[in-house]
Coordinates of all heavy atoms in Angstrom, one line a residue:
E1 N -17.2 -1.8 -10.2 CA -16.9 -0.6 -11.1 C -17.3 0.7 -10.5 O -16.7 1.8 -10.9 CB -17.5 -0.8 -12.4 CG -16.9 -2.0 -13.3 CD -17.4 -3.3 -12.8 OE1 -18.4 -3.4 -12.1 OE2 -16.7 -4.3 -13.2
D2 N -18.3 0.7 -9.6 CA -18.8 2.0 -9.0 C -18.2 2.3 -7.7 O -18.7 3.1 -7.0 CB -20.3 1.9 -8.9 CG -21.0 1.8 -10.2 OD1 -20.5 2.3 -11.2 OD2 -22.1 1.3 -10.2
F3 N -17.1 1.5 -7.3 CA -16.6 1.8 -6.0 C -16.2 3.3 -5.8 O -15.4 3.8 -6.7 CB -15.3 1.0 -5.8 CG -15.1 0.6 -4.4 CD1 -15.4 -0.6 -3.8 CD2 -14.5 1.5 -3.5 CE1 -15.2 -0.9 -2.6 CE2 -14.1 1.2 -2.2 CZ -14.5 0.0 -1.7
P4 N -16.6 3.9 -4.7 CA -16.4 5.3 -4.6 C -15.1 5.7 -4.2 O -14.4 4.9 -3.6 CB -17.5 5.8 -3.6 CG -17.6 4.6 -2.8 CD -17.5 3.3 -3.6
D5 N -14.6 7.0 -4.4 CA -13.5 7.5 -3.8 C -13.6 7.5 -2.4 O -14.6 7.8 -1.7 CB -13.4 9.0 -4.3 CG -12.1 9.7 -3.9 OD1 -11.6 9.5 -2.8 OD2 -11.5 10.4 -4.7
V6 N -12.5 7.0 -1.7 CA -12.6 6.8 -0.3 C -12.0 7.9 0.5 O -12.0 7.9 1.8 CB -11.9 5.5 0.2 CG1 -12.6 4.3 -0.4 CG2 -10.4 5.5 -0.1
T7 N -11.5 9.0 -0.2 CA -10.9 10.0 0.5 C -11.7 10.7 1.6 O -11.2 10.9 2.7 CB -10.5 11.2 -0.5 OG1 -9.8 10.7 -1.6 CG2 -9.8 12.3 0.1
A8 N -13.0 10.8 1.4 CA -13.8 11.5 2.4 C -14.8 10.5 3.1 O -15.9 10.9 3.6 CB -14.6 12.6 1.8
T9 N -14.5 9.2 3.1 CA -15.4 8.1 3.6 C -15.8 8.5 5.1 O -15.0 9.0 5.8 CB -14.8 6.8 3.6 OG1 -15.8 5.9 4.1 CG2 -13.5 6.7 4.4
I10 N -17.0 8.2 5.4 CA -17.5 8.5 6.9 C -17.4 7.1 7.6 O -17.9 7.1 8.7 CB -18.9 9.1 6.9 CG1 -19.9 8.4 5.9 CG2 -18.7 10.6 6.5 CD1 -20.5 7.2 6.6
N11 N -17.0 6.1 6.9 CA -17.0 4.8 7.5 C -15.5 4.4 7.9 O -14.7 4.1 7.1 CB -17.5 3.7 6.5 CG -17.7 2.3 7.1 OD1 -16.7 1.8 7.6 ND2 -18.8 1.8 7.1
E12 N -15.3 4.5 9.2 CA -13.9 4.3 9.6 C -13.4 2.8 9.5 O -12.3 2.6 9.4 CB -13.7 4.8 11.1 CG -12.3 4.6 11.6 CD -11.1 5.0 10.7 OE1 -11.3 6.0 9.9 OE2 -10.0 4.5 10.8
S13 N -14.4 1.8 9.4 CA -14.0 0.5 9.2 C -13.4 0.4 7.8 O -12.3 -0.3 7.6 CB -15.2 -0.4 9.3 OG -15.7 -0.4 10.6
L14 N -14.0 1.0 6.8 CA -13.3 1.1 5.4 C -12.1 1.9 5.4 O -11.1 1.6 4.8 CB -14.4 1.6 4.4 CG -14.0 1.7 3.0 CD1 -13.7 0.2 2.5 CD2 -15.0 2.3 2.2
G15 N -12.2 3.1 6.1 CA -11.0 4.0 6.1 C -9.8 3.3 6.8 O -8.7 3.5 6.4
G16 N -10.1 2.6 7.9 CA -9.0 1.9 8.6 C -8.4 0.7 7.6 O -7.2 0.6 7.7
E17 N -9.2 0.1 6.8 CA -8.7 -0.9 6.0 C -7.9 -0.2 4.9 O -6.9 -0.8 4.4 CB -9.9 -1.6 5.3 CG -9.5 -2.9 4.5 CD -9.2 -4.1 5.5 OE1 -9.5 -4.0 6.7 OE2 -8.5 -5.0 5.0
F18 N -8.3 0.9 4.4 CA -7.4 1.7 3.5 C -6.1 2.1 4.0 O -5.1 1.9 3.4 CB -8.2 2.9 2.9 CG -7.6 3.7 1.8 CD1 -7.1 3.0 0.8 CD2 -7.4 5.1 2.0 CE1 -6.4 3.7 -0.3 CE2 -6.8 5.8 0.9 CZ -6.4 5.1 -0.3
D19 N -6.0 2.5 5.3 CA -4.8 2.7 6.0 C -4.0 1.5 6.0 O -2.7 1.6 5.8 CB -5.1 3.4 7.4 CG -5.6 4.8 7.3 OD1 -5.5 5.4 6.2 OD2 -5.9 5.3 8.4
K20 N -4.6 0.5 6.5 CA -3.8 -0.8 6.5 C -3.2 -1.2 5.2 O -2.1 -1.6 5.1 CB -4.7 -1.9 7.1 CG -4.1 -3.3 7.2 CD -5.2 -4.3 7.7 CE -4.6 -5.7 7.8 NZ -5.6 -6.7 8.2
F21 N -4.0 -1.0 4.1 CA -3.6 -1.4 2.8 C -2.4 -0.5 2.4 O -1.4 -0.9 1.9 CB -4.7 -1.2 1.8 CG -4.3 -1.2 0.4 CD1 -4.1 -2.4 -0.3 CD2 -4.1 0.0 -0.3 CE1 -3.7 -2.4 -1.6 CE2 -3.7 0.0 -1.6 CZ -3.5 -1.2 -2.3
R22 N -2.5 0.9 2.7 CA -1.4 1.8 2.3 C -0.2 1.4 3.1 O 1.0 1.6 2.6 CB -1.9 3.2 2.5 CG -2.9 3.6 1.4 CD -3.2 5.0 1.6 NE -3.9 5.4 2.8 CZ -4.3 6.7 3.1 NH1 -4.0 7.7 2.3 NH2 -4.8 7.0 4.3
R23 N -0.3 1.1 4.3 CA 0.9 0.7 5.2 C 1.5 -0.5 4.5 O 2.8 -0.5 4.5 CB 0.5 0.4 6.6 CG 0.3 1.6 7.4 CD 0.1 1.2 8.9 NE -1.0 0.4 9.2 CZ -2.2 0.8 9.5 NH1 -2.5 2.0 9.6 NH2 -3.1 -0.1 9.8
D24 N 0.8 -1.4 4.0 CA 1.4 -2.6 3.3 C 2.1 -2.2 2.0 O 3.0 -2.9 1.6 CB 0.4 -3.7 3.1 CG 1.0 -5.0 2.8 OD1 1.8 -5.5 3.7 OD2 0.8 -5.6 1.8
Q25 N 1.6 -1.1 1.4 CA 2.3 -0.7 0.2 C 3.8 -0.1 0.5 O 4.7 -0.2 -0.3 CB 1.5 0.4 -0.5 CG 0.2 0.0 -1.0 CD 0.2 -1.3 -1.8 OE1 0.9 -1.4 -2.8 NE2 -0.4 -2.3 -1.3
V26 N 3.8 0.5 1.7 CA 5.2 0.8 2.2 C 6.1 -0.4 2.3 O 7.3 -0.3 1.9 CB 5.1 1.6 3.5 CG1 6.5 1.9 4.0 CG2 4.3 2.8 3.3
R27 N 5.6 -1.5 3.0 CA 6.4 -2.7 3.1 C 6.8 -3.2 1.7 O 7.9 -3.6 1.4 CB 5.5 -3.7 3.8 CG 6.3 -5.1 3.9 CD 5.3 -6.2 4.1 NE 4.3 -6.3 3.0 CZ 4.6 -6.8 1.8 NH1 5.8 -7.3 1.5 NH2 3.7 -6.8 0.9
A28 N 5.8 -3.3 0.8 CA 6.1 -3.8 -0.6 C 7.1 -2.9 -1.3 O 7.9 -3.3 -2.1 CB 4.8 -3.8 -1.3
F29 N 6.9 -1.6 -1.1 CA 7.9 -0.7 -1.8 C 9.3 -0.9 -1.3 O 10.3 -0.9 -2.1 CB 7.5 0.8 -1.5 CG 8.4 1.9 -2.0 CD1 8.4 2.2 -3.3 CD2 9.2 2.5 -1.1 CE1 9.1 3.2 -3.8 CE2 10.0 3.6 -1.6 CZ 10.0 3.8 -2.9
L30 N 9.4 -1.0 0.0 CA 10.9 -1.2 0.6 C 11.3 -2.6 0.1 O 12.6 -2.7 -0.2 CB 10.9 -1.2 2.1 CG 10.5 0.3 2.7 CD1 10.4 0.2 4.1 CD2 11.6 1.3 2.2
Q31 N 10.5 -3.6 0.0 CA 10.9 -5.0 -0.4 C 11.4 -4.8 -1.9 O 12.3 -5.6 -2.3 CB 9.8 -5.9 -0.3 CG 10.1 -7.4 -0.6 CD 11.2 -7.9 0.4 OE1 10.9 -8.0 1.6 NE2 12.4 -8.2 0.0
W32 N 10.6 -4.1 -2.6 CA 10.9 -3.9 -4.1 C 12.3 -3.3 -4.2 O 13.1 -3.8 -5.0 CB 9.8 -3.0 -4.7 CG 10.2 -2.5 -6.0 CD1 10.1 -3.2 -7.3 CD2 10.5 -1.2 -6.4 NE1 10.4 -2.3 -8.3 CE2 10.7 -1.1 -7.8 CE3 10.8 0.0 -5.7 CZ2 11.1 0.1 -8.5 CZ3 11.1 1.2 -6.3 CH2 11.3 1.2 -7.7
Q33 N 12.6 -2.3 -3.4 CA 13.9 -1.6 -3.5 C 15.0 -2.7 -3.1 O 16.1 -2.7 -3.7 CB 13.9 -0.4 -2.7 CG 13.2 0.8 -3.4 CD 13.9 2.1 -3.1 OE1 15.1 2.2 -2.8 NE2 13.2 3.2 -3.3
A34 N 14.8 -3.2 -1.9 CA 15.7 -4.1 -1.4 C 16.1 -5.3 -2.4 O 17.2 -5.7 -2.5 CB 15.3 -4.7 0.0
D35 N 15.1 -5.9 -3.0 CA 15.3 -6.9 -4.0 C 16.2 -6.4 -5.2 O 17.0 -7.2 -5.6 CB 14.0 -7.5 -4.5 CG 13.2 -8.2 -3.5 OD1 13.8 -8.6 -2.5 OD2 12.0 -8.4 -3.7
I36 N 16.0 -5.1 -5.6 CA 16.9 -4.7 -6.7 C 18.3 -4.5 -6.2 O 19.2 -4.9 -6.9 CB 16.3 -3.3 -7.1 CG1 15.0 -3.4 -7.8 CG2 17.3 -2.6 -8.2 CD1 14.3 -2.2 -8.1
V37 N 18.5 -3.9 -5.0 CA 19.8 -3.7 -4.5 C 20.5 -5.1 -4.3 O 21.8 -5.2 -4.6 CB 19.7 -2.9 -3.2 CG1 21.1 -2.8 -2.4 CG2 19.2 -1.5 -3.4
R38 N 19.8 -6.1 -3.8 CA 20.4 -7.4 -3.5 C 20.9 -8.0 -4.8 O 21.8 -8.8 -4.6 CB 19.4 -8.2 -2.8 CG 19.9 -9.6 -2.3 CD 21.2 -9.4 -1.4 NE 21.1 -8.7 -0.2 CZ 22.2 -8.4 0.5 NH1 23.3 -8.6 0.1 NH2 21.9 -7.7 1.7
E39 N 20.4 -7.6 -6.0 CA 21.1 -8.2 -7.1 C 22.4 -7.8 -7.4 O 23.2 -8.5 -8.0 CB 20.2 -7.8 -8.3 CG 18.7 -8.3 -8.4 CD 18.1 -7.9 -9.6 OE1 18.7 -7.7 -10.7 OE2 16.8 -7.6 -9.6
Y40 N 22.9 -6.8 -6.7 CA 24.2 -6.2 -7.0 C 25.0 -6.2 -5.7 O 26.3 -6.3 -5.7 CB 24.1 -4.7 -7.4 CG 23.3 -4.5 -8.7 CD1 22.0 -4.1 -8.6 CD2 23.9 -4.8 -9.9 CE1 21.2 -4.0 -9.7 CE2 23.1 -4.5 -11.1 CZ 21.8 -4.2 -10.9 OH 21.0 -4.0 -12.1
A41 N 24.4 -6.3 -4.5 CA 25.2 -6.2 -3.3 C 25.9 -7.5 -3.0 O 25.5 -8.6 -3.4 CB 24.2 -6.0 -2.1

């Protein structure tokens, strides 16, 4: 519950994991859109 804001983290291991996570959100976002489109295509 006390997990800090990672915007200014000085720990690049954690920062790199956040970048990796956000990149996967892009994949999931595109998959989400593609799944919707495929219902009609």
Side-chain angles (χ1 to χ4, degrees):
E1 290 76 18
D2 294 335
F3 207 99
D5 187 317
V6 298
T7 304
T9 183
I10 50 84
N11 186 300
E12 178 50 26
S13 297
L14 182 63
E17 193 74 18
F18 186 48
D19 286 352
K20 178 181 177 181
F21 168 79
R22 290 187 294 178
R23 285 192 296 270
D24 196 58
Q25 297 313 298
V26 177
R27 178 207 55 78
F29 176 79
L30 293 176
Q31 186 68 64
W32 168 76
Q33 287 216 16
D35 288 345
I36 296 170
V37 172
R38 186 49 67 190
E39 292 182 34
Y40 304 95

